[in-house]
Amino acid sequence: MAFLGTLLETFELIVLSFFYSIEALFRLLVPPRSKSVENETVLITGAGSGIGRLLSLEFARLKATLVLWDINEEGNEETARMSRDQGSPRVHVYKCDCGRKEDVARVAALVKKEVGDVTMLVNNAGIVIGKNFIDTTESEMQKVMDVNIMAHFWTYKAFLPAMIARNHGHLVSIASAAGFLTVNGFADYCSSKFAAVGFAESVALEMIAMKKDGIKTTIVCPSFINTGMFDGYKPQSRMLPMLDAKHVAKKIINAIRRDQPIIMIPRSVYFLVYMKSWMPKKVSILLAHYTRLFDVMKTFVGRKYN
Ligand SMILES: NC(=O)c1ccc[n+]([C@@H]2O[C@H](COP(=O)([O-])OP(=O)(O)OC[C@H]3O[C@@H](n4cnc5c(N)ncnc54)[C@H](O)[C@@H]3O)[C@@H](O)[C@H]2O)c1
């Protein structure tokens, strides 16, 4: 009997795997309909500039209620003003240092009291130092980990329970191509982004195991974007160009609205990740030389943080 059960399970696995593969191919040609976010309360961390600001504007156009967090009050207020101009009916602005657990808990409690439950959480706030590991100070490394990954833990702790209770929500992690591919001179940044990908993937599986199919997840892995964060980066290869921030924001919004589990931008990142998974080390080093990855540090300027 046990043998028959295993046989049936294996048969089901083969048939469904085939069906889902065909479905995935079909979805490449005919994408699913984009969901409305009009009745959603979207919290975006790091909304005061760059991708966070552009996502706020996109969500504003789609009439979502916005909750904007940033450590930079001025930038955040400017995003709020621009979002209201785009038509968002409700925009709530909070100063929050996402790298500090107590601050996240305090501001999250305020949001729940003043706005209500967050139904879409976009963990976007991020920083980069861009020094060789041996030259990076302990406090710089700590800050990168606090903002780029620990903040995700604290925000999920604050807002996921209400999503689980209602079986409704969307968790968006703005990670990076550096969550799959490494670059010299960014050891702390790459570590934090690998962690962000691992954390988001694991919680996504947790939702599936808990049968919370109303909670969607999207992991975003772009390469370099012209927001200022990676100022000085000079693309030497078409595989890793400097991406236009508006183009990236549109791609991210489309992926979120189609409940896409992961998006890598540009598509060449999928190729590089695939190649990395099997190619001999010496070949990957050759490729790194070819794409001038070893030279990224030479011109990197980035941002200055307090
Ligand atoms: N720019 C790129 O090339 C690139 C590439 C891949 C992934 N990313 C990721 O995209 C996200 C957004 O990056 P960006 O390019 O828009 O950068 P950005 O510097 O323009 O914006 C980051 C925002 O986060 C805010 N922030 C920083 N520390 C904070 C803290 N402790 N608490 C709250 N807010 C804080 C900043 O004030 C800023 O408004 C980051 O997570 C980044 O790692 C960026």
Side-chain angles (χ1 to χ4, degrees):
M1 273 315 261
F3 173 72
L4 192 65
T6 311
L7 203 68
L8 277 175
E9 266 183 19
T10 311
F11 180 70
E12 186 185 53
L13 173 78
I14 293 167
V15 171
L16 284 180
S17 301
F18 180 73
F19 171 77
Y20 290 143
S21 303
I22 298 290
E23 185 193 38
L25 278 176
F26 175 73
R27 283 298 173 211
L28 278 180
L29 302 171
V30 186
R33 271 203 11 221
S34 298
K35 68 183 178 189
S36 164
V37 295
E38 202 169 330
N39 295 319
E40 308 293 346
T41 300
V42 184
L43 189 157
I44 302 172
T45 70
S49 70
I51 292 299
R53 171 173 290 171
L54 291 166
L55 290 180
S56 308
L57 299 183
E58 292 287 338
F59 277 116
R61 266 179 229 125
L62 297 165
K63 306 276 184 280
T65 296
L66 290 175
V67 180
L68 308 180
W69 282 16
D70 207 293
I71 199 168
N72 169 3
E73 276 181 296
E74 209 179 305
N76 213 15
E77 285 294 349
E78 177 63 5
T79 303
R81 189 192 59 70
M82 293 166 78
S83 301
R84 287 186 192 104
D85 286 352
Q86 289 297 327
S88 181
R90 285 166 295 274
V91 184
H92 307 267
V93 186
Y94 294 89
K95 180 178 182 186
C96 180
D97 181 345
C98 299
R100 295 183 55 217
K101 185 169 70 170
E102 303 73 22
D103 219 27
V104 172
R106 180 184 60 79
V107 184
L110 261 183
V111 169
K112 286 181 210 171
K113 193 166 147 226
E114 295 172 356
V115 186
D117 287 334
V118 165
T119 57
M120 296 181 91
L121 172 62
V122 184
N123 267 305
N124 163 77
I127 58 170
V128 63
I129 303 298
K131 292 183 192 169
N132 279 333
F133 172 70
I134 46 168
D135 300 323
T136 314
T137 66
E138 284 180 15
S139 70
E140 283 171 335
M141 287 188 277
Q142 189 66 59
K143 201 168 171 187
V144 167
M145 296 307 279
D146 284 343
V147 180
N148 293 8
I149 176 61
M150 295 317 292
H152 297 206
F153 285 33
W154 315 139
T155 52
Y156 275 41
K157 276 277 182 206
F159 299 111
L160 185 55
M163 294 186 195
I164 291 174
R166 291 172 55 193
N167 190 21
H168 176 80
H170 201 137
L171 301 164
V172 181
S173 176
I174 308 295
S176 170
F180 286 94
L181 306 165
T182 48
V183 187
N184 57 300
F186 294 99
D188 48 356
Y189 185 77
C190 291
S191 311
S192 70
K193 293 299 182 180
F194 266 67
V197 170
F199 173 66
E201 268 190 4
S202 180
V203 175
L205 288 178
E206 214 166 292
M207 294 305 106
I208 293 168
M210 289 168 71
K211 302 204 175 356
K212 295 294 172 186
D213 57 352
I215 301 176
K216 310 299 180 188
T217 54
T218 301
I219 300 172
V220 180
C221 299
S223 69
F224 302 96
I225 316 167
N226 67 355
T227 57
M229 190 186 206
F230 279 89
D231 262 1
Y233 167 70
K234 286 197 173 48
Q236 308 277 349
S237 151
R238 280 194 193 170
M239 292 229 198
L240 293 171
M242 182 64 106
L243 302 166
D244 173 61
K246 281 189 184 159
H247 164 78
V248 173
K250 284 209 184 304
K251 289 253 176 212
I252 296 173
I253 286 285
N254 285 342
I256 295 172
R257 293 186 67 203
R258 288 173 182 156
D259 294 333
Q260 201 172 314
I262 189 159
I263 179 166
M264 300 187 182
I265 316 167
R267 280 181 194 275
S268 52
V269 177
Y270 289 102
F271 174 71
L272 292 172
V273 171
Y274 168 69
M275 297 293 278
K276 186 191 163 184
S277 70
W278 62 266
M279 71 168 47
K281 183 78 183 163
K282 284 183 181 173
V283 182
S284 71
I285 302 293
L286 264 182
L287 200 63
H289 279 297
Y290 174 76
T291 54
R292 307 285 188 274
L293 269 192
F294 289 113
D295 299 338
V296 166
M297 282 302 296
K298 288 187 181 155
T299 52
F300 175 80
V301 182
R303 286 199 192 287
K304 296 280 164 280
Y305 305 100
N306 297 326

Short mmCIF file of all heavy atoms in Angstrom, two decimals, residues 256-281:
data_model
loop_
_atom_site.label_atom_id
_atom_site.label_comp_id
_atom_site.label_asym_id
_atom_site.label_seq_id
_atom_site.Cartn_x
_atom_site.Cartn_y
_atom_site.Cartn_z
N ILE A 256 5.28 43.72 -8.32
CA ILE A 256 4.46 43.65 -7.10
C ILE A 256 3.00 43.41 -7.48
O ILE A 256 2.33 42.54 -6.91
CB ILE A 256 4.59 44.96 -6.28
CG1 ILE A 256 6.03 45.14 -5.76
CG2 ILE A 256 3.60 44.96 -5.11
CD1 ILE A 256 6.28 46.50 -5.11
N ARG A 257 2.52 44.15 -8.46
CA ARG A 257 1.09 44.06 -8.80
C ARG A 257 0.75 42.72 -9.44
O ARG A 257 -0.41 42.32 -9.48
CB ARG A 257 0.70 45.22 -9.72
CG ARG A 257 0.78 46.58 -9.00
CD ARG A 257 0.25 47.68 -9.85
NE ARG A 257 -1.18 47.56 -10.08
CZ ARG A 257 -1.82 48.11 -11.12
NH1 ARG A 257 -1.15 48.81 -12.01
NH2 ARG A 257 -3.12 47.95 -11.25
N ARG A 258 1.77 42.03 -9.93
CA ARG A 258 1.51 40.69 -10.52
C ARG A 258 1.90 39.58 -9.55
O ARG A 258 2.03 38.42 -9.94
CB ARG A 258 2.29 40.54 -11.81
CG ARG A 258 1.71 41.39 -12.92
CD ARG A 258 2.58 41.37 -14.14
NE ARG A 258 2.04 42.22 -15.17
CZ ARG A 258 2.74 42.76 -16.13
NH1 ARG A 258 4.04 42.53 -16.22
NH2 ARG A 258 2.17 43.52 -17.03
N ASP A 259 2.17 39.95 -8.30
CA ASP A 259 2.54 38.96 -7.27
C ASP A 259 3.74 38.12 -7.70
O ASP A 259 3.81 36.91 -7.40
CB ASP A 259 1.35 38.04 -6.93
CG ASP A 259 0.22 38.80 -6.25
OD1 ASP A 259 0.50 39.83 -5.60
OD2 ASP A 259 -0.94 38.36 -6.38
N GLN A 260 4.69 38.75 -8.38
CA GLN A 260 5.88 38.03 -8.85
C GLN A 260 6.79 37.77 -7.64
O GLN A 260 7.13 38.72 -6.94
CB GLN A 260 6.58 38.92 -9.88
CG GLN A 260 7.50 38.20 -10.81
CD GLN A 260 8.01 39.13 -11.92
OE1 GLN A 260 7.24 39.86 -12.53
NE2 GLN A 260 9.30 39.08 -12.17
N PRO A 261 7.19 36.53 -7.39
CA PRO A 261 7.99 36.24 -6.19
C PRO A 261 9.38 36.88 -6.21
O PRO A 261 9.91 37.23 -5.16
CB PRO A 261 8.11 34.72 -6.18
CG PRO A 261 7.19 34.21 -7.21
CD PRO A 261 6.85 35.32 -8.15
N ILE A 262 9.97 36.98 -7.40
CA ILE A 262 11.32 37.58 -7.47
C ILE A 262 11.48 38.30 -8.80
O ILE A 262 10.92 37.87 -9.82
CB ILE A 262 12.43 36.51 -7.26
CG1 ILE A 262 13.80 37.17 -7.11
CG2 ILE A 262 12.44 35.48 -8.37
CD1 ILE A 262 14.83 36.30 -6.43
N ILE A 263 12.22 39.40 -8.78
CA ILE A 263 12.56 40.07 -10.04
C ILE A 263 14.02 40.51 -9.98
O ILE A 263 14.47 41.09 -8.99
CB ILE A 263 11.61 41.25 -10.35
CG1 ILE A 263 12.05 41.92 -11.67
CG2 ILE A 263 11.53 42.27 -9.21
CD1 ILE A 263 11.03 42.87 -12.27
N MET A 264 14.75 40.19 -11.05
CA MET A 264 16.14 40.63 -11.19
C MET A 264 16.19 41.61 -12.35
O MET A 264 15.62 41.35 -13.41
CB MET A 264 17.06 39.44 -11.45
CG MET A 264 17.02 38.42 -10.33
SD MET A 264 18.23 37.12 -10.55
CE MET A 264 17.88 36.10 -9.12
N ILE A 265 16.86 42.74 -12.12
CA ILE A 265 16.89 43.80 -13.14
C ILE A 265 18.34 44.24 -13.35
O ILE A 265 18.99 44.58 -12.35
CB ILE A 265 16.05 45.03 -12.70
CG1 ILE A 265 14.70 44.59 -12.10
CG2 ILE A 265 15.83 45.99 -13.86
CD1 ILE A 265 13.95 45.68 -11.37
N PRO A 266 18.85 44.28 -14.57
CA PRO A 266 18.24 43.82 -15.82
C PRO A 266 18.24 42.29 -15.91
O PRO A 266 18.76 41.63 -15.00
CB PRO A 266 19.16 44.44 -16.88
CG PRO A 266 20.50 44.50 -16.23
CD PRO A 266 20.24 44.77 -14.78
N ARG A 267 17.72 41.77 -17.02
CA ARG A 267 17.61 40.31 -17.16
C ARG A 267 18.96 39.61 -17.12
O ARG A 267 19.05 38.43 -16.79
CB ARG A 267 16.90 39.97 -18.48
CG ARG A 267 15.40 40.12 -18.39
CD ARG A 267 14.76 39.76 -19.72
NE ARG A 267 13.39 40.20 -19.76
CZ ARG A 267 12.37 39.51 -19.28
NH1 ARG A 267 12.59 38.35 -18.72
NH2 ARG A 267 11.15 39.98 -19.35
N SER A 268 20.02 40.35 -17.48
CA SER A 268 21.36 39.74 -17.49
C SER A 268 21.74 39.22 -16.10
O SER A 268 22.58 38.33 -15.97
CB SER A 268 22.41 40.74 -17.98
OG SER A 268 22.31 41.95 -17.27
N VAL A 269 21.09 39.76 -15.05
CA VAL A 269 21.41 39.30 -13.69
C VAL A 269 20.98 37.82 -13.54
O VAL A 269 21.70 37.02 -12.93
CB VAL A 269 20.73 40.18 -12.61
CG1 VAL A 269 21.00 39.63 -11.21
CG2 VAL A 269 21.21 41.62 -12.71
N TYR A 270 19.81 37.44 -14.14
CA TYR A 270 19.39 36.03 -14.10
C TYR A 270 20.48 35.15 -14.71
O TYR A 270 20.83 34.11 -14.19
CB TYR A 270 18.10 35.81 -14.92
CG TYR A 270 16.84 36.40 -14.33
CD1 TYR A 270 16.31 37.59 -14.82
CD2 TYR A 270 16.15 35.74 -13.32
CE1 TYR A 270 15.14 38.10 -14.31
CE2 TYR A 270 14.98 36.26 -12.80
CZ TYR A 270 14.47 37.44 -13.29
OH TYR A 270 13.31 37.96 -12.79
N PHE A 271 21.01 35.62 -15.84
CA PHE A 271 22.03 34.86 -16.57
C PHE A 271 23.30 34.71 -15.71
O PHE A 271 23.84 33.61 -15.58
CB PHE A 271 22.34 35.59 -17.89
CG PHE A 271 23.46 35.00 -18.67
CD1 PHE A 271 23.31 33.77 -19.31
CD2 PHE A 271 24.69 35.67 -18.77
CE1 PHE A 271 24.36 33.22 -20.03
CE2 PHE A 271 25.73 35.12 -19.49
CZ PHE A 271 25.58 33.90 -20.12
N LEU A 272 23.73 35.82 -15.10
CA LEU A 272 24.95 35.78 -14.29
C LEU A 272 24.78 34.87 -13.07
O LEU A 272 25.69 34.13 -12.70
CB LEU A 272 25.34 37.19 -13.85
CG LEU A 272 25.80 38.13 -14.98
CD1 LEU A 272 25.97 39.56 -14.48
CD2 LEU A 272 27.10 37.64 -15.60
N VAL A 273 23.59 34.92 -12.45
CA VAL A 273 23.33 34.07 -11.28
C VAL A 273 23.35 32.60 -11.70
O VAL A 273 23.94 31.75 -11.02
CB VAL A 273 21.97 34.43 -10.62
CG1 VAL A 273 21.59 33.42 -9.54
CG2 VAL A 273 22.03 35.84 -10.03
N TYR A 274 22.74 32.31 -12.84
CA TYR A 274 22.72 30.93 -13.35
C TYR A 274 24.15 30.45 -13.64
O TYR A 274 24.55 29.37 -13.23
CB TYR A 274 21.85 30.87 -14.61
CG TYR A 274 21.98 29.59 -15.38
CD1 TYR A 274 21.49 28.40 -14.85
CD2 TYR A 274 22.62 29.56 -16.62
CE1 TYR A 274 21.63 27.21 -15.54
CE2 TYR A 274 22.76 28.38 -17.31
CZ TYR A 274 22.27 27.20 -16.77
OH TYR A 274 22.42 26.03 -17.45
N MET A 275 24.92 31.31 -14.32
CA MET A 275 26.30 30.95 -14.66
C MET A 275 27.13 30.68 -13.40
O MET A 275 27.91 29.74 -13.33
CB MET A 275 26.96 32.08 -15.46
CG MET A 275 26.32 32.37 -16.79
SD MET A 275 26.53 31.03 -17.96
CE MET A 275 28.16 31.38 -18.55
N LYS A 276 26.89 31.52 -12.40
CA LYS A 276 27.67 31.39 -11.16
C LYS A 276 27.41 30.03 -10.48
O LYS A 276 28.28 29.49 -9.80
CB LYS A 276 27.28 32.53 -10.21
CG LYS A 276 28.13 32.58 -8.96
CD LYS A 276 27.58 33.53 -7.92
CE LYS A 276 28.20 33.23 -6.58
NZ LYS A 276 27.66 34.06 -5.52
N SER A 277 26.18 29.51 -10.68
CA SER A 277 25.80 28.29 -9.97
C SER A 277 26.55 27.05 -10.45
O SER A 277 26.59 26.05 -9.76
CB SER A 277 24.28 28.07 -10.07
OG SER A 277 23.95 27.73 -11.40
N TRP A 278 27.14 27.10 -11.64
CA TRP A 278 27.80 25.88 -12.11
C TRP A 278 29.20 26.11 -12.68
O TRP A 278 29.99 25.18 -12.79
CB TRP A 278 26.94 25.18 -13.17
CG TRP A 278 26.70 26.01 -14.41
CD1 TRP A 278 25.64 26.82 -14.65
CD2 TRP A 278 27.56 26.14 -15.56
NE1 TRP A 278 25.78 27.45 -15.86
CE2 TRP A 278 26.95 27.05 -16.44
CE3 TRP A 278 28.81 25.59 -15.93
CZ2 TRP A 278 27.52 27.41 -17.65
CZ3 TRP A 278 29.38 25.95 -17.14
CH2 TRP A 278 28.73 26.85 -17.98
N MET A 279 29.52 27.35 -13.01
CA MET A 279 30.77 27.52 -13.77
C MET A 279 32.01 27.37 -12.87
O MET A 279 31.96 27.68 -11.68
CB MET A 279 30.80 28.87 -14.49
CG MET A 279 30.94 30.04 -13.59
SD MET A 279 31.32 31.56 -14.43
CE MET A 279 30.20 31.63 -15.74
N PRO A 280 33.10 26.89 -13.45
CA PRO A 280 34.34 26.75 -12.67
C PRO A 280 34.79 28.11 -12.15
O PRO A 280 34.59 29.14 -12.80
CB PRO A 280 35.34 26.20 -13.69
CG PRO A 280 34.52 25.65 -14.79
CD PRO A 280 33.25 26.42 -14.83
N LYS A 281 35.40 28.09 -10.98
CA LYS A 281 35.83 29.33 -10.32
C LYS A 281 36.68 30.21 -11.25
O LYS A 281 36.50 31.43 -11.32
CB LYS A 281 36.63 28.95 -9.06
CG LYS A 281 37.07 30.11 -8.22
CD LYS A 281 35.94 30.65 -7.40
CE LYS A 281 36.36 31.87 -6.62
NZ LYS A 281 35.22 32.62 -6.14
#
